[in-house]
Amino acid sequence: MAKIQELNAVVAQKVELTPRLMILRVVADGWQLPHFTPGQYVVLGLPPSAPRCEMSELELQPPPSDKLIRRAYSISSSSLSSEYMDFYISLVSNGALTPRIFALDVGDRLWLSPHPVGMFTLADVPPEKNIVLVATGTGLAPYMSMLSTDLDCGSPRQLAVLHGAFHSWDLGYRAELETLQHLCSNLTYTPTIDRPEDEPVAWHGHTGWVQQLWQAGVVAKAWGFQPAPDNTDVFLCGVQGMIEDMVGILVAENFKEQSHGQVGEIHIERY
Ligand SMILES: Cc1cc2nc3c(=O)[nH]c(=O)nc-3n(C[C@H](O)[C@H](O)[C@H](O)COP(=O)(O)OP(=O)(O)OC[C@H]3O[C@@H](n4cnc5c(N)ncnc54)[C@H](O)[C@@H]3O)c2cc1C
């Protein structure tokens, strides 16, 4: 059985944006949260005995009873804060871990791996290059950490965030990104929703997928020049379909995927 001592962290805040989408704030209990590079992730864990939330369905496969259920989550908070880590999490109804995370309350314990990992960071982007951050759903999480840590307002570097979600109410961090856009002339934020027919009040923003925003040239229009491999790096985070489509589109425009030992302008994190 997973032991309670293994649960080394505590829920400090739970912001439910919708019944299926939340920002979870976690603090370490009796140890110091490690430093991390924005864009990295940690592993969260709960025992199989932890209750599942009401919205959940039966899990596909009951997990073994003697091990923590562990999954990777990008840190969405700034690395400038060492007091807590935030996570932007969506519910997978028949999943093993997220129904248990959604059942947590403030004060409940969970496991947080003390070693953040991942190469999906701004570290390899040359300082003179512009950056496009493309996300679906909770794929926005690593970008919120990057922007709240490293955004240099008014610098010559242009940044664009393209965020796709089903509905307007699924666009987490929208207010924060709109505020940053008002304050920072070099940041553009473009959300899009792909189920406008569900909106209770007509939606006047973009509709469709993030890849369609790119193809429609929204970044080029905002920046006044065409993003190209010699002036821009592109980050992709979220569902597989978006990543495959975007890689195809970008490769046709001569962008190359970054991989171990190979320099490239496309950076990918697959959820
Ligand atoms: C590096 C990395 C960072 C990640 N960061 C985040 C993050 O910041 N926020 C976040 O919400 N998730 C993130 N994930 C995904 C996360 O690790 C889990 O896979 C996800 O939360 C589902 O876990 P689960 O145990 O509830 O579902 P599982 O039991 O693992 O999956 C159950 C079923 O649902 C499918 N499934 C898994 N994920 C999804 C999904 N998102 N939508 C629909 N179906 C799915 C699986 O293929 C499987 O068939 C990240 C993954 C990686 C690899």
Side-chain angles (χ1 to χ4, degrees):
M1 289 287 281
K3 297 185 203 69
I4 193 76
Q5 301 92 289
E6 287 186 70
L7 305 182
N8 58 0
V10 175
V11 175
Q13 192 181 47
K14 178 182 177 185
V15 178
E16 287 178 280
L17 308 172
T18 76
R20 314 183 64 86
L21 195 59
M22 69 147 104
I23 299 171
L24 188 75
R25 177 161 294 177
V26 177
V27 292
D29 188 14
W31 55 288
Q32 182 62 53
L33 285 174
H35 182 72
F36 65 94
T37 305
Q40 288 191 309
Y41 64 91
V42 291
V43 174
L44 299 180
L46 282 170
S49 56
R52 295 168 65 83
C53 67
E54 276 180 22
M55 296 276 295
S56 66
E57 297 162 11
L58 273 184
E59 47 203 329
L60 290 177
Q61 267 194 328
S65 61
D66 56 342
K67 286 197 182 106
L68 285 180
I69 308 163
R70 300 167 194 237
R71 299 285 184 272
Y73 292 94
S74 303
I75 304 160
S76 64
S77 50
S78 170
S79 69
L80 300 174
S81 167
S82 54
E83 277 176 47
Y84 57 81
M85 283 182 179
D86 286 349
F87 302 95
Y88 182 33
I89 304 178
S90 63
L91 175 67
V92 176
S93 304
N94 62 1
L97 186 61
T98 52
R100 291 176 168 87
I101 289 180
F102 273 72
L104 292 172
D105 285 320
V106 169
D108 285 346
R109 303 182 75 85
L110 71 167
W111 185 75
L112 189 156
S113 64
H115 304 295
V117 286
M119 307 291 288
F120 190 69
T121 73
L122 301 177
D124 294 334
V125 183
E128 70 281 3
K129 289 189 85 178
N130 307 299
I131 297 172
V132 180
L133 306 170
V134 184
T136 54
T138 53
L140 191 69
Y143 306 151
M144 293 314 300
S145 183
M146 293 172 185
L147 293 171
S148 56
T149 308
D150 292 322
L151 177 59
D152 186 1
C153 269
S155 88
R157 167 180 273 179
Q158 297 294 318
L159 289 123
V161 179
L162 308 183
H163 187 204
F166 290 140
H167 309 107
S168 62
W169 54 90
D170 299 320
L171 291 167
Y173 292 105
R174 184 176 166 200
E176 288 87 336
L177 286 164
E178 285 177 345
T179 304
L180 285 177
Q181 178 176 236
H182 289 309
L183 294 173
C184 300
S185 55
N186 55 326
L187 176 74
T188 310
Y189 163 60
T190 312
T192 180
I193 60 167
D194 61 17
R195 295 188 187 166
E197 65 279 7
D198 295 344
E199 296 292 312
V201 173
W203 165 261
H204 298 294
H206 290 273
T207 57
W209 293 349
V210 281
Q211 45 274 48
Q212 294 168 316
L213 291 182
W214 176 270
Q215 288 180 304
V218 295
V219 179
K221 275 181 210 146
W223 289 357
F225 61 88
Q226 187 65 36
D230 63 340
N231 62 30
T232 301
D233 273 28
V234 182
F235 285 69
L236 308 175
C237 186
V239 294
Q240 187 65 17
M242 178 278 282
I243 290 176
E244 280 171 15
D245 283 2
M246 278 300 300
V247 168
I249 294 165
L250 291 167
V251 166
E253 296 177 22
N254 296 320
F255 286 84
K256 285 194 306 294
E257 189 176 331
Q258 194 196 49
S259 58
H260 289 297
Q262 193 187 331
V263 179
E265 306 84 21
I266 309 173
H267 308 254
I268 297 176
E269 189 80 287
R270 288 183 175 84
Y271 281 9

